[in-house]
């Protein structure tokens, strides 16, 4: 049903990616000549003067924009555009530019006037309260750098029929992104309302057409839950929940309810659609995992990856991202022989809890066939499982939490293709 847009997206990114790598191999001098010289006249290339030192450029601007030579794009999984994915292979470091943060909308992006916005807190509280956006901003604020991941992320590294060679990191695992989030602790608001000690759960409800609702354990409110109104230094983007969203670090994305309008405290979970029919994990023995909120440790190599082609033997830096909902990543191991031997990768600072961590491993490619894999370990000792181990535990019917090890196959020609779990 959704094959066409996927294939088109693959080809488009294939071209841009390969061009970057070839330019790198040709050397900085060749690339600079191409940029300053003939390339300016090539159709489809942005116009630049032959010698940029000979003409004064435009002055200061009110709002910045990317170089026209850089065109990173989100891609949508399906024609209904219910989600779009972050181009993991095009990014450096750990912060996702806000306009490339992945999106997942159950009922589209609502238009909300911030001056008419309010958040209601009620249920098992002494004083039901309504906060305006200005009220929320007046409380002591907190800023944290954390990732979000949709629990549906990575299904194509799990289900046999979806493991096809021509998938990019974006298409496999692009439903995860990292931002600096600013807001007020939910605990502060609950204390203000006089939350009952007998409340064990709270309902979070969004003001979009889906009116998405999830039940959240009260312990999370007193741990690190936030109502956030800013992302990477400015107001939240509409797609991320403007003007305010619930943010639950390390929990599956669907529980970080966007466009948040209501929190209701209760003794029991509410058993909404999104935690009964959806977001539970049917197991092979006929039972189901329910409230599987914490995201397990995971990693993916983002370079080299399809559609990269290694231009020759020698040193290549294997780069990727690792993360866990349980705290910090403590180790990432890389294999270049399909999991037979493993080597510790270097972790870039900062290594933050519940956050993407950048790993690197210098690889001397001898020119033969290779299978590249990464394996994350977190501070609880949890190790990212193989596809075989995860499949045995969860079975084929599950629809969320696909954190198995991913593999890339390098051919003798240097071309790189996706190889699922590596078997
Ligand atoms: N109100 C509301 N909140 C929502 C959703 C939604 O559709 N409506 N989608 C959820 C899902 S499934 C995910 S994965 C995250 C995605 O957050 P993002 O779009 O900011 O990346 O938001 C969650 N919060
Ligand atoms: Mo999600």
């Amino acid at each position: 049903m959704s094959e066409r847009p996927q294939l088109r997206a693959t080809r488009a990114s294939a071209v841009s990616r390969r061009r970057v790598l070839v330019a790198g191999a040709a050397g900085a001098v060749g690339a600079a000549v191409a940029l300053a010289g003939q390339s300016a006249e090539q159709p489809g290339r942005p116009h630049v003067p032959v010698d940029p030192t000979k003409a004064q450029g435009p002055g200061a601007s009110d709002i910045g924009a990317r170089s026209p030579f850089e065109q990173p794009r989100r891609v949508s999984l399906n024609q209904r555009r219910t989600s779009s994915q972050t181009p993991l292979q095009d990014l450096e470091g750990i912060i996702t530019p806000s306009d490339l943060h992945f999106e997942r909308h159950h009922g589209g992006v609502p238009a909300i006037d911030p001056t008419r916005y309010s958040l209601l807190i009620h249920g098992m509280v002494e004083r039901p309260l309504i906060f305006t956006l200005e009220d929320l901003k007046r409380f002591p604020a907190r800023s944290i750098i954390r990732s979000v991941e949709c629990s549906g992320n990575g299904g194509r590294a799990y289900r046999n029929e979806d493991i096809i060679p021509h998938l990019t990191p974006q298409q496999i695992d692009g439903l995860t992104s990292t931002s600096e989030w600013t807001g007020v602790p939910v605990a502060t608001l609950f204390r203000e309302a006089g939350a009952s000690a007998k409340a064990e759960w709270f309902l979070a409800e969004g003001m979009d057409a889906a009116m998405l609702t999830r039940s959240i354990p009260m312990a999370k409110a007193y741990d690190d839950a936030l109502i956030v109104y800013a992302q990477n230094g400015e107001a939240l983007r509409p797609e991320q929940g403007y003007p305010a969203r619930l943010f639950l670090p390390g929990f599956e994305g669907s529980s970080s309810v966007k466009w948040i309008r209501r929190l209701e405290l209760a003794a029991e979970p509410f058993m909404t659609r999104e935690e009964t029919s959806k977001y539970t994990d049917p197991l092979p023995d006929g039972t189901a995992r329910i409230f599987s909120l914490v995201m397990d440790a995971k990693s993916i190599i983002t370079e080299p990856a399809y559609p990269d082609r290694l231009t020759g033997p020698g040193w290549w830096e294997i780069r990727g991202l690792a993360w866990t909902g349980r705290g910090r990543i403590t180790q990432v191991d890389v294999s270049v022989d399909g999991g037979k031997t493993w080597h510790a990768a270097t972790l870039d600072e900062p290594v933050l809890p519940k956050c993407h961590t950048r790993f690197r491993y210098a690889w001397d490619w001898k020119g033969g066939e290779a299978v590249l894999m990464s394996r994350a370990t977190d501070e609880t000792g949890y190790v990212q499982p193989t596809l075989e181990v995860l499949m045995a535990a969860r079975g084929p019917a599950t629809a969320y939490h696909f954190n198995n090890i991913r593999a890339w196959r390098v051919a003798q020609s240097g071309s790189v293709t996706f190889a699922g779990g590596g078997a």
Side-chain angles (χ1 to χ4, degrees), residues 22-178:
V22 169
V29 176
V33 168
L35 278 185
Q38 307 95 313
S39 81
E41 311 313 325
Q42 280 170 22
R45 301 270 295 170
H47 180 81
V48 294
V50 173
D51 181 349
T53 66
K54 295 290 184 259
Q56 179 141 338
S61 55
D62 288 347
I63 189 132
R66 286 191 180 89
S67 159
F69 292 97
E70 303 296 328
Q71 305 270 319
R73 286 284 181 275
R74 292 190 282 229
V75 294
S76 189
L77 272 168
N78 56 47
Q79 271 146 334
R80 290 177 298 131
R81 301 194 77 86
T82 52
S83 66
S84 65
Q85 298 167 291
T86 291
L88 299 175
Q89 68 281 351
D90 296 335
L91 304 181
E92 310 285 350
I94 58 170
I95 302 287
T96 311
S98 299
D99 59 359
L100 296 173
H101 192 288
F102 87 90
E103 305 168 81
R104 173 72 181 99
H105 315 306
H106 293 245
V109 180
I112 298 168
D113 177 348
T115 63
R116 292 175 54 204
Y117 169 84
S118 67
L119 171 65
L120 166 67
I121 297 185
H122 68 141
M124 292 173 69
V125 296
E126 284 165 32
R127 300 168 291 278
L129 292 174
I130 293 174
F131 301 97
T132 65
L133 189 58
E134 288 311 308
D135 294 337
L136 293 175
K137 288 182 176 174
R138 225 182 120 184
F139 285 104
R142 195 165 292 174
S143 290
I144 50 168
I145 300 173
R146 297 289 183 274
S147 300
V148 193
E149 183 181 20
C150 176
S151 51
N153 199 26
R156 290 154 131 196
Y158 187 79
R159 287 185 224 94
N160 258 334
E161 64 272 22
D162 288 344
I163 299 175
I164 56 173
H166 297 164
L167 289 175
T168 65
Q170 174 170 30
Q171 291 170 313
I172 298 160
D173 273 320
L175 293 175
T176 182
S177 306
T178 300

Side-chain angles (χ1 to χ4, degrees), residues 101-104 106 150 208 240 245 253 256 258-259 279:
H101 192 288
F102 87 90
E103 305 168 81
R104 173 72 181 99
H106 293 245
C150 176
D208 52 334
Q240 262 69 62
R245 85 184 293 175
S256 282
K258 302 188 279 192
W259 314 294
Y279 300 106

Side-chain angles (χ1 to χ4, degrees), residues 92-94 317 320 345-352 356-360:
E92 310 285 350
I94 58 170
E317 189 171 65
T346 303
L347 305 184
D348 276 6
E349 292 291 337
V351 177
L352 299 169
H356 287 169
T357 299
R358 173 71 57 178
F359 67 86
R360 305 173 185 282

Side-chain angles (χ1 to χ4, degrees), residues 301-314:
I301 292 170
T302 55
E303 280 182 73
Y306 177 79
D308 292 343
R309 195 176 62 78
L310 305 182
T311 47

